[in-house]
């Protein structure tokens, strides 16, 4: 459950104004303006709590420009949780002013609705494969649309012909195993990357696990928290936690860094879920730390580098396990890039809402990738995958983006 913003006054007063957050904030690196760095946001939130500033359009704009990457928190001597302060301030904004209608439609009508996700998947696949997308792009009609939609349309990932959820009844899941795991199905794996879901099952079963997938789970709630809609986020958490616990699984597994980070905080949203987070593991964390990672014998040739998702590294403290998976794959050469843990600028829908700024942040990541000249970039977050694929395409860099588990699955 969230608390009134006033409760966080002491947190804001722990900021010692040292400015170390300036060195790591991707937003500040591009904008160079004090209000947009953590120190500036903390001060503004403190003045908001004290009643010295109002929730003006300018203040809302400043609070919207945060990636929730956690770099400032990790580099803050007194560990001021600026990410938490910003989310609580956004919750105050939403509670007092509501959500814009299009955003409310997406958060309430689309993301929590599995039937709507199935319909959108079919429509998007038709758009991309019927020639309609090619026609719009080729004729330049997209450029006539407002709000830079011609640029943002390029962010659209390649949708699957049908959702992974619609395939669940056809999957030949093994009915026994030494460990029973509940696989939390993310929205992106469901609509865009069903092959990732199949790879996760294959890898888990090769490690002696029985995989169960509760079909009724919904969006993890992260988008709702990001826009201050804590009420719906809590409803989603309660439903998902109930369905996952009803499986009787020993562990709850996620292949999405963002979903995993959200699941591990469900006990903060829903009373009575104490201990729930103890069952949750990112898939890489589970394979390395719980079931003794075993790669197969088939080689996967090539050079791979790794982009560390913010919600996996700083968000969950999972940094070594994905790299251990990549290094264990026969035939694969792992090359560490500079600033692997720097945000790619995707941040859910940040890239849609702030496209140009997001691309500037992404450019730094692409520069790091280019220096190691890989054939593949591995990452454990579908949203990062979407952002990286878009950037690599814009620069015409012939590099694929894969989940570490997809590469591991190829070895069996």
């Amino acid at each position: 459950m969230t608390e009134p913003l006033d409760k966080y006054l002491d947190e804001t007063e722990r900021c010692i104004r040292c400015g170390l957050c300036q060195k790591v904030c991707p937003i500040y690196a591009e904008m160079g303006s004090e209000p947009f760095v953590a120190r500036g946001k903390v001060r503004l939130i403190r003045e908001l709590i004290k009643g010295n500033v109002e929730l003006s359009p300018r203040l809302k704009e400043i609070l919207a420009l945060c990636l929730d990457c956690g770099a400032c928190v990790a580099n803050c001597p007194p560990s001021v949780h600026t990410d938490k302060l910003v989310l609580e301030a956004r919750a105050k904004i939403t509670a007092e002013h509501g959500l814009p209608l299009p955003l409310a439609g997406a958060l309430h009508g689309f993301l929590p609705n599995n039937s709507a996700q199935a319909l959108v998947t079919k429509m998007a696949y038709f758009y991309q494969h019927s020639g309609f997308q090619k026609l719009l792009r080729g004729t330049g009609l997209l450029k006539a649309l407002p709000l830079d939609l011609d640029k943002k349309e390029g962010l659209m990932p390649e949708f699957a012909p049908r959702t992974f959820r619609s395939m669940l009844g056809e999957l030949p899941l093994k009915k026994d195993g030494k460990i029973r795991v509940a696989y939390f199905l993310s929205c992106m794996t469901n609509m865009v990357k069903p092959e990732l879901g199949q790879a996760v099952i294959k890898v888990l079963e090769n490690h002696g696990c029985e995989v169960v997938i509760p079909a009724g789970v919904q969006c993890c709630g992260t988008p709702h928290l990001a826009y201050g809609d804590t009420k719906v986020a809590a409803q989603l958490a309660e439903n998902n936690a109930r369905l996952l616990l009803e499986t009787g699984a020993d562990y709850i597994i996620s292949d999405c860094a963002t979903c995993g980070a959200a699941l591990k905080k469900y006990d903060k949203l829903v009373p009575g879920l104490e201990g729930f987070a103890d069952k949750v593991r990112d898939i890489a964390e589970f394979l390395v730390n719980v079931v003794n990672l075993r790669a197969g014998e088939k080689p996967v040739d090539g050079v791979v580098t790794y982009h560390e998702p913010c919600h996996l590294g700083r968000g969950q403290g999972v940094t070594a396990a994905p790299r251990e998976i990549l290094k264990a794959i026969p035939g694969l050469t792992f090359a560490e890039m500079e600033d692997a843990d720097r945000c790619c600028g995707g941040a859910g829908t940040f890239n849609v809402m702030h496209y140009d700024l997001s691309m500037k942040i992404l450019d730094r990541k692409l520069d790091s990738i280019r220096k190691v000249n890989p054939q593949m970039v591995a990452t454990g977050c579908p949203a990062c995958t979407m952002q990286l694929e878009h950037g690599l395409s814009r620069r015409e860099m012939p590099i694929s983006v894969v989940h570490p588990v997809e590469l591991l699955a190829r070895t069996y």
Side-chain angles (χ1 to χ4, degrees):
M1 301 290 286
T2 58
E3 297 177 309
L5 188 60
D6 296 5
K7 296 277 187 181
Y8 294 91
L9 180 59
D10 290 346
E11 182 77 8
T12 67
E13 292 182 336
R14 291 198 302 111
C15 174
I16 58 175
R17 295 174 286 281
C18 64
L20 288 179
C21 46
Q22 290 183 341
K23 295 182 178 179
V24 297
C25 176
I27 299 289
Y28 182 79
E30 305 304 334
M31 303 190 72
S33 178
E34 180 69 13
F36 295 99
V37 76
R39 182 175 62 178
K41 290 187 175 80
V42 170
R43 179 175 181 182
L44 286 169
I45 292 171
R46 180 167 64 245
E47 298 307 316
L48 177 65
I49 293 172
K50 290 181 176 179
N52 295 328
V53 298
E54 295 181 349
L55 276 176
S56 64
R58 174 63 172 166
L59 181 54
K60 292 178 184 178
E61 176 191 359
I62 292 169
L63 293 173
L65 291 180
C66 174
L67 297 156
D68 190 28
C69 69
C72 56
V73 180
N75 289 275
C76 178
S79 298
V80 176
H81 285 270
T82 305
D83 52 350
K84 176 71 174 174
L85 292 171
V86 168
L87 292 180
E88 291 296 339
R90 290 178 183 173
K92 176 180 174 66
I93 294 170
T94 298
E96 294 184 7
H97 301 279
L99 292 165
L101 191 57
L103 190 56
L107 294 179
H108 299 165
F110 168 56
L111 285 175
N113 187 325
N114 292 338
S115 296
Q117 287 195 9
L119 177 61
V120 167
T121 300
K122 289 181 179 178
M123 292 173 64
Y125 183 82
F126 175 79
Y127 168 70
Q128 293 173 327
H129 295 270
S130 65
F132 194 47
Q133 183 184 48
K134 186 177 181 180
L135 174 67
L136 287 181
R137 289 181 174 181
T139 58
L141 288 174
L142 283 172
K143 295 184 183 300
L145 298 175
L147 305 174
D148 290 331
L149 288 179
D150 59 319
K151 298 179 184 176
K152 297 174 182 178
E153 193 267 352
L155 286 165
M156 189 177 182
E158 189 76 14
F159 274 76
R162 55 187 291 207
T163 62
F164 188 60
R165 184 171 283 106
S166 71
M167 306 175 190
L168 294 181
E170 306 161 19
L171 296 176
L173 297 175
K174 293 182 179 178
K175 299 301 181 184
D176 56 18
K178 60 183 180 183
I179 299 178
R180 185 177 173 86
V181 299
Y183 175 30
F184 178 81
L185 185 57
S186 77
C187 296
M188 293 296 287
T189 301
N190 181 46
M191 295 187 290
V192 177
K193 299 277 288 182
E195 65 273 20
L196 172 57
Q198 292 170 331
V200 167
I201 294 169
K202 183 178 182 180
V203 167
L204 288 172
E205 290 188 341
N206 268 280
H207 284 79
C209 298
E210 178 190 1
V211 182
V212 292
I213 310 173
V217 295
Q218 300 168 286
C219 171
C220 68
T222 295
H224 305 79
L225 289 174
Y227 287 104
D229 191 351
T230 53
K231 179 180 178 181
V232 174
Q235 292 171 350
L236 293 171
E238 185 171 14
N239 175 67
N240 292 338
R242 176 179 56 79
L243 292 173
L244 291 164
L245 291 173
E246 284 177 355
T247 65
D250 302 300
Y251 290 93
I252 297 165
I253 303 299
S254 172
D255 60 30
C256 171
T258 299
C259 294
L263 291 169
K264 289 181 178 179
K265 295 177 182 175
Y266 272 7
D267 57 353
K268 304 292 191 301
L269 285 171
V270 182
L273 283 183
E274 291 78 11
F276 176 82
D278 295 338
K279 285 179 171 282
V280 180
R281 298 287 188 282
D282 176 77
I283 179 69
E285 177 184 25
F286 178 77
L287 292 171
V288 172
N289 298 336
V290 179
V291 291
N292 190 21
L293 172 68
R294 295 186 301 280
E297 297 181 353
K298 295 180 183 177
V300 179
D301 295 326
V303 177
V304 65
T305 191
Y306 177 64
H307 163 67
E308 184 173 286
C310 303
H311 287 156
L312 188 57
R314 285 183 290 273
Q316 300 183 56
V318 179
T319 58
R323 292 172 169 86
E324 289 189 35
I325 290 174
L326 296 173
K327 292 174 182 176
I329 294 174
L332 194 63
T333 300
F334 175 71
E336 187 78 60
M337 74 165 98
E338 292 178 1
D339 297 326
D341 64 347
R342 186 182 179 85
C343 181
C344 65
T349 58
F350 183 91
N351 52 1
V352 177
M353 307 300 281
H354 310 282
Y355 181 84
D356 291 336
L357 177 57
S358 171
M359 292 303 108
K360 290 180 181 178
I361 297 168
L362 176 60
D363 280 342
R364 295 177 186 254
K365 177 64 64 175
L366 297 177
D367 290 343
S368 294
I369 293 172
R370 187 188 293 278
K371 289 178 182 176
V372 295
N373 193 29
Q375 284 87 50
M376 295 168 280
V377 179
T379 189
C381 178
C384 295
T385 298
M386 186 172 76
Q387 174 82 341
L388 292 170
E389 286 180 337
H390 178 63
L392 292 167
S393 175
R394 285 176 69 230
R395 285 202 184 182
E396 298 182 347
M397 295 167 66
I399 300 171
S400 59
V401 186
V402 295
H403 195 291
V405 167
E406 288 182 281
L407 295 177
L408 182 61
R410 296 177 194 173
T411 69
Y412 301 114

